[in-house]
C-alpha cells in the first residue's frame, strides 16, 4: 500500500477507535490531537526504510531491505516503545498534555500493525517475520495503489470536518464534493495512461456517491448532530467491508485459476490470483508450470475474460482464454546468469518468473521478469525486469533493472 494511504488509515483509526481529533485546528494541541498524530506517524513509520535507498547504490535493496525489519511483527514492540519514548520527550519539551508512555506505546503499536496488515493485503510481499525468517507472505487482495480504498478511508474524515460546525457548512460541503469529483476525473486520466481505464458508469457512480456523502447530510442539517467519532467509525467499517469483498472476489478469481489448471492438466508449481487495477473486479490469474507461466486476465463483473500482454500466444480452446509465457530454452548464458548472486536474489523474490534471451550484435542478453508486475504500456518494459548482458566471451558486461524509457 502507498505511504499516503497508510497515513490516512492511521488517522481514521485514531479518530474512530481512540477518540482522536483532527490533526490541524485552531485549538491548542491536546492529548486527543497527539493521539491522532501518533497513530498516523506509527502507520507511516515502516516505510521509513526507503531512506536507506537514498544513500546506497544497491538496486536490490527494494527486494532485500524494503518491507523487512520495519515491517516485522517481531520488531514491532521495539519500534513502538522507541517511538513512544521519543514522543514523551517531545511533548514534555513542548509542555503539551499527552497520553502516558504505555498508552502511546499501544497507539504506536496499532499504527505499525495497521501498516503491516495493509501491506500484507497487496501482492508485493512483506517480510513480517524478519529477522527470524526472510519469507515474503502476500495475501493478494488489493492492488498496491487502490484509489477506491484510499477514498473510503479519507472521505469520512473530510465529511466529519465539513459537519463539525454550522458556520460555512454549505461552502465546505460543496467545495469538498467538487474536490473529490475533480479527483475522480484525475484518477480516470491516470487509469487511461496506464491502460487501466475507468468506465463512464464507474466515474458517474463515484461522483454520485461523493455527492451523497457530502451533500445529503446538509438536508435539515442532520449531519451536524453526528459526532466526529461516528463518521470515522462508519468509514472504518466500510473499509473492513471493502476488504471482505476483496476476499470474496479473490476466492472467485482463484477458483477460475484452478479451473484453468485443471482443464490443461498442468503441473502447478505455484498459482495465484492477483488484484489488477482499476477495480476489485479485475484480477490477474497466474500459474507457474515447469516450462513457463500461464496468465488468465479476469473481469468478474461480467462473463467475459479479457487477456492482455504482448509477445505471447493466446489459446482460446477452452471456455477460458489465457496466455502462455514460455521460458526460453536453457543455454550457457542463462546458466551463468542464474549463478550470479544478484540474479539469485531476483529469483528468490519472483513468484512467477519468466526467462528470456536474445542477442544484440555479439552481446548476449538474459532477462528475468516477474509476471506479478505486468507491462503497463507497450512502449515500456515490464516492471521488475532484471537484465544481464554478456560479451562474446561470456563475461558479464552489465546487470541491473531495466529502466523505463
Amino acid at each position: 500500500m502507498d505511504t499516503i494511504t497508510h497515513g490516512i488509515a492511521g488517522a481514521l483509526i485514531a479518530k474512530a477507535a481512540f477518540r482522536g481529533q483532527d490533526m490541524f485546528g485552531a485549538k491548542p494541541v491536546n492529548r486527543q490531537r497527539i493521539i491522532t498524530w501518533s497513530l498516523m506517524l506509527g502507520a507511516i513509520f515502516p516505510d521509513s526504510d526507503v531512506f536507506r535507498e537514498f544513500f546506497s547504490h544497491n538496486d536490490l535493496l527494494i527486494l532485500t531491505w524494503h518491507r523487512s525489519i520495519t515491517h516485522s511483527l517481531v520488531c514491532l514492540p521495539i519500534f513502538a516503545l522507541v517511538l513512544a519514548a521519543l514522543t514523551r520527550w517531545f511533548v514534555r519539551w513542548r509542555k503539551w498534555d499527552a497520553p502516558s508512555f504505555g498508552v502511546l506505546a499501544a497507539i504506536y503499536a496499532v499504527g505499525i500493525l495497521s501498516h503491516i496488515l495493509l501491506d500484507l493485503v497487496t501482492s508485493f510481499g512483506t517480510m513480517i517475520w524478519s529477522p527470524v525468517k526472510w519469507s515474503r507472505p502476500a495475501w493478494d487482495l488489493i492492488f498496491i495503489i487502490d484509489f477506491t480504498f484510499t477514498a473510503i478511508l479519507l472521505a469520512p474524515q473530510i465529511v466529519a470536518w465539513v459537519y463539525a460546525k454550522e458556520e460555512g457548512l454549505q461552502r465546505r460541503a460543496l467545495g469538498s464534493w467538487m474536490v473529490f469529483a475533480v479527483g475522480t476525473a484525475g484518477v480516470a486520466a491516470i487509469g487511461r495512461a496506464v491502460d487501466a481505464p475507468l468506465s463512464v458508469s464507474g466515474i458517474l457512480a463515484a461522483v454520485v456517491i461523493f455527492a451523497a456523502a457530502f451533500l445529503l447530510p446538509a438536508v435539515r442539517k442532520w449531519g451536524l448532530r453526528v459526532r466526529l467519532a461516528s463518521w470515522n467509525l462508519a468509514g472504518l467499517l466500510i473499509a473492513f467491508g471493502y476488504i471482505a469483498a476483496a476476499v470474496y472476489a479473490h476466492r472467485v478469481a482463484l477458483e477460475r485459476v484452478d479451473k484453468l489448471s485443471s482443464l490443461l492438466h498442468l503441473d502447478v508449481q505455484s498459482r495465484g490470483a492477483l488484484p489488477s487495477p482499476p477495480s476489485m473486479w479485475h484480477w490477474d490469474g497466474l500459474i507457474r508450470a515447469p516450462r513457463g507461466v500461464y496468465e488468465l486476465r479476469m473481469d468478474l463483473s461480467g462473463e467475459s475474460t479479457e487477456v492482455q500482454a504482448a509477445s505471447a500466444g493466446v489459446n482460446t480452446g477452452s471456455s477460458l482464454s489465457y496466455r502462455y509465457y514460455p521460458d526460453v530454452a536453457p543455454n550457457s548464458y542463462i546458466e551463468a546468469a542464474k549463478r550470479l548472486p544478484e540474479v539469485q536474489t531476483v529469483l528468490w523474490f519472483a513468484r512467477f518468473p519468466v526467462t528470456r534471451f536474445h542477442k544484440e550484435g555479439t552481446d548476449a542478453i538474459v532477462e528475468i521478469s516477474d509476471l506479478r508486475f505486468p507491462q503497463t504500456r507497450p512502449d515500456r518494459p515490464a516492471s521488475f525486469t532484471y537484465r544481464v548482458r554478456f560479451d562474446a566471451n561470456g563475461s558479464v558486461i552489465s546487470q541491473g533493472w531495466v529502466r523505463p524509457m
Side-chain angles (χ1 to χ4, degrees), residues 162-163 169-170 173-174 211-224 231:
V162 167
Y163 291 93
L169 170 61
Q170 293 181 347
L174 185 59
F214 288 109
L215 303 181
L216 281 183
V219 177
R220 298 185 180 180
K221 300 179 181 180
W222 66 265
L224 294 170
W231 286 118

Side-chain angles (χ1 to χ4, degrees), residues 133-146:
K133 185 178 181 181
W134 299 98
S135 59
R136 301 185 70 98
W139 292 347
D140 300 338
L141 298 177
I142 296 178
F143 193 68
I144 193 168
I145 298 178
D146 188 321

Side-chain angles (χ1 to χ4, degrees), residues 192-337:
R192 286 194 300 271
V194 299
D195 198 24
L198 292 172
S199 64
V200 175
S201 59
I203 296 172
L204 293 176
V207 172
V208 170
I209 290 172
F210 289 137
F214 288 109
L215 303 181
L216 281 183
V219 177
R220 298 185 180 180
K221 300 179 181 180
W222 66 265
L224 294 170
R225 300 191 294 272
V226 181
R227 297 184 300 115
L228 179 143
S230 298
W231 286 118
N232 289 281
L233 180 58
L236 188 60
L237 293 176
I238 294 172
F240 283 135
Y242 186 83
I243 295 175
V247 171
Y248 174 76
H250 177 258
R251 187 179 69 180
V252 173
L254 206 54
E255 288 175 353
R256 293 195 184 184
V257 173
D258 291 336
K259 179 181 178 181
L260 177 64
S261 64
S262 177
L263 287 171
L264 300 180
H265 306 288
L266 298 178
D267 180 9
V268 178
Q269 296 180 338
S270 62
R271 96 300 191 231
L274 282 60
S276 182
S279 72
M280 74 163 62
W281 303 116
H282 294 80
W283 294 81
D284 193 14
L286 295 171
I287 303 170
R288 176 67 202 183
R291 297 182 180 180
V293 175
Y294 294 80
E295 181 187 39
L296 176 67
R297 288 291 181 95
M298 294 166 280
D299 181 355
L300 304 185
S301 64
E303 296 181 357
S304 62
T305 300
E306 297 180 0
V307 183
Q308 300 177 2
S311 69
V314 180
N315 189 310
T316 57
S318 67
S319 60
L320 296 176
S321 300
Y322 65 89
R323 284 188 181 268
Y324 176 55
Y325 297 81
D327 286 321
V328 71
N331 59 43
S332 60
Y333 294 105
I334 294 174
E335 296 304 318

Side-chain angles (χ1 to χ4, degrees), residues 70-129:
T70 58
H71 292 67
S72 169
L73 293 174
V74 177
C75 299
L76 182 154
I78 299 173
F79 292 126
L81 292 173
V82 170
L83 290 170
L86 290 173
T87 302
R88 285 295 300 174
W89 168 80
F90 184 77
V91 296
R92 281 198 301 267
W93 172 60
R94 297 291 298 180
K95 297 181 180 180
W96 290 336
D97 183 24
S100 66
F101 173 80
V103 171
L104 280 172
I107 288 171
Y108 275 114
V110 171
I112 296 171
L113 180 62
S114 73
H115 187 118
I116 295 172
L117 293 177
L118 287 180
D119 275 353
L120 274 174
V121 302
T122 68
S123 301
F124 191 81
T126 307
M127 291 178 272
I128 60 173
W129 306 118

